[in-house]
Amino acid sequence: MSIATRRGDEGETDLLFGCRLSKSHPRVHALGAVDELNAALGPLRIAAQRSETREIVGIVQPWLITLMGELATPPGLEEKYATTHAPFDLAKVAYLDEQVAMLEAGGALQFKGWALPGEAGVMSGAYADLARVACRRAERHVVDLIGTDQEVPNQEVMRFLNRLADVLWLLARWEERSAA
């Protein structure tokens, strides 16, 4: 089977369970933003100076695929998806909370004023900041679904994206400090 199915040539894309939506649909924007976030984590994973950064990113990336699965599940079919995939859960948010505590205890929070991405000349820190803004964009797109018929019922998705952006901000500072 070829990657070029031509099914999207008319401006629609497939979700799970045979559902098709316009590529400009808010749910597709949310799904695409999480995909962009996952791609943005790739350079950070490669360039990271700290093994802990590579480990965190390596754990989070597969979780983002799970999150994309939830976003690709049409409203009302969440139970069907859950029969074959574990739903996004509080344990993932708890893991990120642990990483925030570890990074802060390790000195990642020591800064004066606003952080200026790239100022330290550390590529991995700049990559972490790029991933952070991609994460915030994904979070905003998921928020856009709230109050609509496309709302993501699993509240852990929002908590996860919010906390992940915090972790990425801290990782950027941590990576910058590791080069000093």
Side-chain angles (χ1 to χ4, degrees):
M1 174 188 232
S2 172
I3 188 73
T5 64
R6 296 171 175 74
R7 289 181 45 78
D9 290 353
E10 301 300 318
E12 288 190 339
T13 192
D14 290 316
L15 294 184
L16 296 177
F17 309 116
C19 179
R20 290 186 59 77
L21 288 176
S22 168
K23 290 182 179 185
S24 66
H25 191 280
R27 182 170 282 268
V28 176
H29 281 292
L31 181 58
V34 174
D35 191 22
E36 288 176 25
L37 166 60
N38 207 0
L41 287 171
L44 173 59
R45 188 174 184 179
I46 293 166
Q49 298 188 18
R50 310 274 308 239
S51 62
E52 297 91 340
T53 300
R54 286 188 299 277
E55 181 182 332
I56 292 167
V57 173
I59 289 169
V60 166
Q61 282 185 303
W63 291 350
L64 291 173
I65 293 170
T66 299
L67 196 157
M68 287 189 287
E70 288 200 31
L71 290 173
T73 300
L77 296 177
E78 295 85 6
E79 285 185 29
K80 184 175 182 178
Y81 179 76
T83 63
T84 56
H85 297 84
F88 225 69
D89 60 15
L90 184 59
K92 291 171 181 56
V93 177
Y95 170 81
L96 293 177
D97 282 332
E98 291 169 10
Q99 300 315 303
V100 167
M102 184 268 304
L103 291 164
E104 289 179 347
L109 193 54
Q110 297 175 6
F111 73 99
K112 294 178 180 162
W114 290 90
L116 186 58
E119 180 180 38
V122 177
M123 193 59 99
S124 56
Y127 285 141
D129 277 317
L130 282 173
R132 173 185 52 81
V133 298
C135 187
R136 289 294 186 204
R137 181 175 47 251
E139 182 182 18
R140 288 189 304 273
H141 281 299
V142 172
V143 167
D144 285 344
L145 301 176
I146 295 174
T148 73
D149 64 343
Q150 297 295 312
E151 185 168 351
V152 178
N154 185 349
Q155 293 301 306
E156 300 313 320
V157 168
M158 283 299 309
R159 289 183 186 98
F160 178 82
L161 290 171
N162 185 47
R163 207 73 80 252
L164 179 56
D166 296 338
V167 167
L168 291 168
W169 189 91
L170 288 166
L171 284 175
R173 309 295 72 81
W174 207 38
E175 286 288 318
E176 290 170 352
R177 289 192 66 223
S178 70

